[in-house]
Amino acid sequence: MSLQLAAHDGPRLCIDLGALKHNWQAVSSICPGSRVGAVVKNDAYGLGVPNVVPPLWQWGCRNFWVATVDEALAVRACLPVDASAAGLRILVLNGLAGLAAEDFTAHGLTPVLAGPHELAALAGYAARHGQRMPVALHLDTGLTRLGFGAAELAQLQSGSRLWDDAQVQLWVTHLGRFHDPEAPQCQRQHERFVQWTAQLPRAERSIATSSSVFAGPGWHFEQVRVGSALFGVPIGTQAAELLQPVASLRAPVLRVADVSEGTEVGYAGSYVTGGSRRIATVAMGYGHGLPFGLVNRGHLILAGRPAPIVGGVAMGMVGLDVSGYAPGEIQPGMWAEVYGRQQPLQTLAAAAGVAANVVLALSARLAPHRRQCGAAEAMEAA
């Protein structure tokens, strides 16, 4: 016996490629003298590498940033076989992470070295193959996460063994307050980056990400790398004015019930009705990426209006109070917008007390339920 799946049985993530193209062009236009690289880690922030990488390549993107080798191979798999000859560069932000140098060179990947402990692997590669390995290097200018700090600068200068073993293509750093490049701490990181790279052999430089790319040409250097901005998650006022939302997420109503005063809604009675209410149950929960912290907080959009979340967020369901709608207006099978054109992603994230990227990245859980759509379909989904 075959299983006939319902047409509307769970959440649907819609990816608007028109908005993605708009954002790519918007970012490219504000830094015309720099290469623009796309950050597509975590399966392109949950939107799916196969959905976004090929069109970005078609529009001229040649630099893709990922976290791991597995992610890098996923990017490589959806690009033309001759992409390397056309200028493709895939940069792996986690560095070698204990893998052999050959794991990178075999697939044309560029590790962003995470610290001095990885230099020995470069020496071993050079000894085995008689050639230098292409790499980028992370400079730790103040985030204290990955990279070479001030104490290791001498190891990177032109007289060091590094230059016999590696071909350094790019100097990279990351801001500790990435959302606020005007913060004094970020200004100091910028100063260190300029000072340090002035002491090092010449290579491309990258400090600007999705917020600082909008902070002026002094941040752009030779390459910028953007993830959030491409996917329509604004960080800062100027970005919000230029970008369009790429993703919209909706889920179907499963049931609408009239309940009496004193009715518990959700686990452990996290909400108790103060009078007669009408509750809609929607097929969207933390298992799909809805933040668990939305207990009696935030809302989804039904019939063009906000419906407050009541009770807690279960693995696959959440309750909405639809008492303010006309009787019969909300019916099973209707779609609720989780985020999209009527409710921005950042609005839902703020209600949950998390960054917008946290919510977007959780969309990776919806891999079987995401698809590309045009602007008209994205508007209809909203």
Side-chain angles (χ1 to χ4, degrees):
M1 181 179 69
S2 62
L3 176 64
Q4 301 297 317
L5 294 178
H8 307 303
D9 63 336
R12 292 291 182 269
L13 184 68
C14 182
I15 302 163
D16 183 353
L17 292 184
L20 179 65
K21 184 175 184 179
H22 169 89
N23 295 342
W24 165 258
Q25 293 174 336
V27 172
S28 299
S29 68
I30 64 173
C31 49
S34 305
R35 299 175 189 265
V36 179
V39 182
V40 292
K41 59 187 178 181
N42 197 67
D43 201 17
Y45 286 52
L47 302 187
V49 160
N51 289 321
V52 304
V53 166
L56 286 170
W57 172 265
Q58 181 181 353
W59 301 328
C61 183
R62 294 295 180 266
N63 290 265
F64 294 92
W65 298 75
V66 297
T68 68
V69 168
D70 284 345
E71 293 176 349
L73 295 179
V75 171
R76 190 67 190 85
C78 63
L79 291 176
V81 174
D82 61 350
S84 295
L88 172 66
R89 182 164 56 178
I90 303 176
L91 298 111
V92 182
L93 288 162
N94 286 3
L96 297 176
L99 298 176
E102 286 81 0
D103 293 329
F104 292 80
T105 57
H107 301 283
L109 312 180
T110 303
V112 183
L113 299 186
H117 61 284
E118 296 190 325
L119 295 179
L122 303 185
Y125 178 87
R128 289 190 297 274
H129 299 278
Q131 61 185 15
R132 297 183 299 158
M133 180 178 176
V135 299
L137 263 83
H138 197 123
L139 300 176
D140 182 6
T141 57
L143 181 56
T144 316
R145 197 164 63 182
L146 296 178
F148 294 74
E152 290 86 36
L153 277 181
Q155 291 180 266
L156 303 179
Q157 291 170 344
S158 57
S160 76
R161 172 75 188 179
L162 170 66
W163 304 100
D164 297 326
D165 301 331
Q167 177 189 349
V168 179
Q169 299 179 339
L170 190 67
W171 303 112
V172 181
T173 197
H174 194 66
L175 298 179
R177 290 165 173 77
F178 65 89
H179 60 289
D180 184 15
E182 299 305 319
Q185 296 87 344
C186 292
Q187 295 294 326
R188 287 194 290 272
Q189 283 191 257
H190 184 283
E191 292 170 6
R192 290 188 195 111
F193 189 60
V194 171
Q195 292 169 0
W196 292 4
T197 54
Q199 303 172 43
L200 297 170
R202 188 171 182 83
E204 291 184 42
R205 296 163 294 173
S206 179
I207 189 173
T209 56
S210 288
S211 57
S212 45
V213 72
F214 294 97
W219 290 92
H220 295 162
F221 295 100
E222 290 77 28
Q223 182 166 164
V224 303
R225 54 192 198 275
V226 288
S228 306
L230 286 183
F231 307 127
V233 181
I235 302 175
T237 303
Q238 186 179 5
E241 295 170 353
L242 292 174
L243 303 177
Q244 295 179 1
V246 171
S248 58
L249 177 59
R250 57 183 183 151
V253 174
L254 299 176
R255 175 180 182 255
V256 180
D258 291 300
V259 299
S260 60
E261 180 179 0
T263 299
E264 293 187 352
V265 179
Y267 292 126
S270 54
Y271 178 79
V272 180
T273 58
S276 299
R277 310 304 293 170
R278 185 174 299 115
I279 306 298
T281 300
V282 174
M284 181 75 199
Y286 66 79
H288 306 111
L290 191 66
F292 188 76
L294 289 171
V295 180
N296 301 318
R297 298 169 63 186
H299 61 264
L300 307 186
I301 303 294
L302 268 173
R305 307 201 302 279
I309 294 172
V310 291
V313 177
M315 182 178 287
M317 299 180 194
V318 68
L320 305 178
D321 188 336
V322 296
S323 306
Y325 294 78
E329 184 178 0
I330 304 302
Q331 295 287 335
M334 291 180 64
W335 288 98
E337 180 184 275
V338 182
Y339 58 77
R341 294 182 180 272
Q342 297 177 90
Q343 165 154 265
L345 175 67
Q346 53 269 32
T347 300
L348 181 69
V354 299
N357 275 344
V358 172
V359 181
L360 184 62
L362 290 172
S363 300
R365 303 178 184 182
L366 292 169
H369 308 289
R370 60 193 177 198
R371 62 193 183 103
Q372 299 174 3
C373 61
E377 190 177 357
M379 185 66 76
E380 180 184 348

